Amino acid sequence: MSKYLPAIVTGLVAALLSGGLMAFMLSSAGAETGLFPAWVGGFVGMFTAYIMANLAGTRLGKAATPEQKQAALDFRPEPGQALLIVFREGFVGKAAGMEVKLDDRLVAQLKSPRFTAISVAPGGHQLSMGFVGLAAKQNKPTVEGFIAAPGEVVAFRATMAMGALKNRIEVERIDSHETLSLRLKPMIMIAPEI
């Protein structure tokens, strides 16, 4: 509940301000105000609180250095390692933070369009992605297993797909370096946390 408190307070402030502004505008025009300003304020407040609760837990990731981004765009893993690249595209839920975990360790939190890259040891790994805040309750997290070979570039594209009851994260493996390079160049790279 405490992580949603700022969203609730913001919603209340938005409700009071929008309802008060509507009442002022109607009374200035000489119109009857009635309950209309209260309904407008209530709607604006609820909508604002809902959006803010969806973004609870979303944080601004630290941008990678130009050298880190260039190394990722050159597809250069560390010697004896593989390079894992995860990027997020799409408009749906683009401001909500999607946590990317590798073997249950947080790698980065991505908004759309952003990407992260990390060197991983050869062998089998488990990549999981899920949202934070109220958005986590509305979206199914996803888990993707993969095996990495030394020197290999493993890239995954994550997008949101709307569902009837819950949204889902769709994950697609991208094997073409040309396609990958074109998609990643304009994006901001988020530095991995591990």
Side-chain angles (χ1 to χ4, degrees):
M1 178 66 173
S2 64
K3 73 178 178 179
Y4 299 122
L5 191 58
I8 294 168
V9 170
T10 304
L12 287 172
V13 169
L16 291 172
L17 289 176
S18 60
L21 180 63
M22 182 59 66
F24 174 76
M25 288 174 24
L26 288 174
S27 64
S28 294
E32 282 282 325
T33 57
L35 290 177
F36 185 68
W39 284 103
V40 169
F43 174 78
V44 170
M46 297 270 290
F47 184 74
T48 302
Y50 174 75
I51 295 299
M52 296 300 291
N54 272 313
L55 299 178
T58 298
R59 59 187 192 280
L60 185 61
K62 181 182 173 194
T65 65
E67 294 80 22
Q68 286 174 309
K69 183 175 179 178
Q70 192 56 52
L73 293 175
D74 291 342
F75 307 120
R76 293 187 319 235
E78 294 176 11
Q81 302 281 305
L83 181 64
L84 172 64
I85 297 174
V86 179
F87 65 102
R88 187 168 167 216
E89 290 182 319
F91 180 76
V92 177
K94 72 184 287 174
M98 182 182 74
E99 289 191 340
V100 177
K101 294 181 179 179
L102 179 67
D103 303 325
D104 294 325
R105 292 174 47 210
L106 181 65
V107 174
Q109 191 182 94
L110 299 177
K111 296 179 189 178
S112 179
R114 303 275 194 275
F115 80 98
T116 193
I118 185 170
S119 290
V120 297
H125 296 280
Q126 192 173 51
L127 179 68
S128 60
M129 292 173 247
F131 286 91
V132 296
L134 188 60
K137 297 182 182 349
Q138 302 170 37
N139 296 281
K140 291 181 184 176
T142 188
V143 177
E144 190 78 25
F146 68 95
I147 298 173
E152 182 182 19
V153 175
V154 180
F156 291 100
R157 174 182 180 250
T159 57
M160 289 294 305
M162 300 294 287
L165 299 175
K166 274 198 168 195
N167 302 328
R168 66 186 186 283
I169 301 168
E170 290 189 345
V171 179
E172 173 189 7
R173 188 161 175 170
I174 306 293
D175 293 320
S176 167
H177 285 196
E178 289 178 21
T179 301
L180 188 57
S181 182
L182 288 173
R183 286 183 164 164
L184 297 181
K185 275 185 184 178
M187 291 184 190
I188 294 171
M189 179 181 170
I190 301 300
E193 296 186 17
I194 57 173

